[in-house]
């Protein structure tokens, strides 16, 4: 390709950078201060998340992998022939590999993620591991409408949403997400979802306060990202990782606490922090089998099956979408 043509095809600066700036400034000007958890996942954040999944204290990943390995054949039987499997927030795609190996009837796999490099790298790995499978990565925010590529629009669809990423939504947002997913997957569509369960407070606490400090780095990376991408001047040493279980709300809360009174500049705007003031960066809701089943039912889905581990730390659900216009909120 001639050099000039290559220059003309260079991508624009990251298209979502204006949105990122607007979201960050809106969150930091709010009272209490917040930042959207989806912004954890730049390249550095995705790598830190992968390190979290390998920590001895972070039980969800290995527990869910165990459930999927044990019940892969049962789950595979629920997936329609020649279907497209759409994974929301695919990350390393490790869990999808287990299902894809057990379900050769899946014709196309569509990992959807906002973390661009990881998404495309993992899609390449899957293409090597499953040469007959169409692997179609979609870089998109799964909370916004996104187009399915034409080659899969005619295929029956199944959804996959592991990792308890659904727990990072407020329950009413989870309901909206499930309704939208129903529209994407269609009447009778199957949705496989992983959900972290309520358990002993000490186990939950340790999972988000690991001894090696990887979760703290993951949390602080959101400030580092603001410095890198928006020219912010956060001093990371002046903020502390706080994570605790809020039993009343049944959620782990993650915050970044300012260790002193300070000012931070981002894109020419000054944000003031009181000593001890926090930025609320993430919620991770923990459900019971009963409470998640109720949420799914209230969002237009029926529970076809659910599987858990011997400790009942984590559950994997197979939901089926019932398209009932009177209840679907259209
Ligand atoms: N499914 C994997 C990864 C879970 S981590 C697993 O179970 O291990 C959450 C993933 O969702 C990350 O890869 C992150 O980049 C992605 N993600 C978070 N918010 C997102 C959003 N709004 N839209 C698309 N992807 C998102
Ligand atoms: C992706 N999500 C389900 C993780 C969780 O446990 O809520 C993100 C995470 N935050 C801290 N550790 C892991």
């Amino acid at each position: 390709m001639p050099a000039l043509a290559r220059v003309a095809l260079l991508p624009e600066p990251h298209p979502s950078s204006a949105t990122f700036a607007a979201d960050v400034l809106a969150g930091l000007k709010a009272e209490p201060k917040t930042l959207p958890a989806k912004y954890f996942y730049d390249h550095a954040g995705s790598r830190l998340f992968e390190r979290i999944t390998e920590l001895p204290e972070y039980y969800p990943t290995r527990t869910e992998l165990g459930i999927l390995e044990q019940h892969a054949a049962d789950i595979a039987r629920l997936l329609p022939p020649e279907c497209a499997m759409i994974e929301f927030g695919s990350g390393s795609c490790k869990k999808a590999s287990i299902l894809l190996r057990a379900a050769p009837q899946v014709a196309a796999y569509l990992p959807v993620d906002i973390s661009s490099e990881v998404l495309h790298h993992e899609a390449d790995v899957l293409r090597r591991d499953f040469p007959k499978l169409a692997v179609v990565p979609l870089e998109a925010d799964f909370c916004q409408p996104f187009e399915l590529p034409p080659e899969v629009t005619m295929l029956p669809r199944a959804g996959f949403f592991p990792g308890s990423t659904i727990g990072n939504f407020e329950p009413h947002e989870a309901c909206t997400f499930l309704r939208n997913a129903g529209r994407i997957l269609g009447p009778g569509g199957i949705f496989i979802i992983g959900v972290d369960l309520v358990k002993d407070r000490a186990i939950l606490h340790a999972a988000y306060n690991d001894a090696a400090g990887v979760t703290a780095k993951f949390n602080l990376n959101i400030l580092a990202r603001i410095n890198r991408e928006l020219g912010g001047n956060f001093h990371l040493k002046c903020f502390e990782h706080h994570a605790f279980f809020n039993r009343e709300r049944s959620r782990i809360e993650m915050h970044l606490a300012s260790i002193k009174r300070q000012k931070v500049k981002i894109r020419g705007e000054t944000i003031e922090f009181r000593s001890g003031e926090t930025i609320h960066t993430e919620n991770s809701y923990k459900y019971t089998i009963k409470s998640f089943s109720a949420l799914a039912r209230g969002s237009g889905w029926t529970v076809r099956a659910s599987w858990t581990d011997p400790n009942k730390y984590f559950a994997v659900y197979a939901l089926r979408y019932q398209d009932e216009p009177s209840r679907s909120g259209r």
Side-chain angles (χ1 to χ4, degrees), residues 141-213:
D141 180 338
F142 54 51
C143 296
Q144 306 293 328
F146 57 85
E147 292 267 318
L148 288 180
E151 62 263 43
V152 304
T153 47
M154 300 306 285
L155 301 181
R157 295 160 204 170
F160 188 39
F161 196 28
S164 203
T165 305
I166 196 154
N168 298 133
F169 290 133
E170 289 297 322
H172 74 274
E173 294 168 344
C175 179
T176 304
F177 173 84
L178 286 171
R179 287 189 183 286
N180 288 336
R183 286 181 198 122
I184 296 172
L185 302 179
I190 293 289
F191 202 3
I192 308 298
I193 305 194
V195 180
D196 197 14
L197 300 176
V198 177
K199 60 187 60 63
D200 186 86
R201 177 190 289 268
I203 295 168
L204 286 169
H205 191 270
Y208 293 83
N209 291 280
D210 60 285

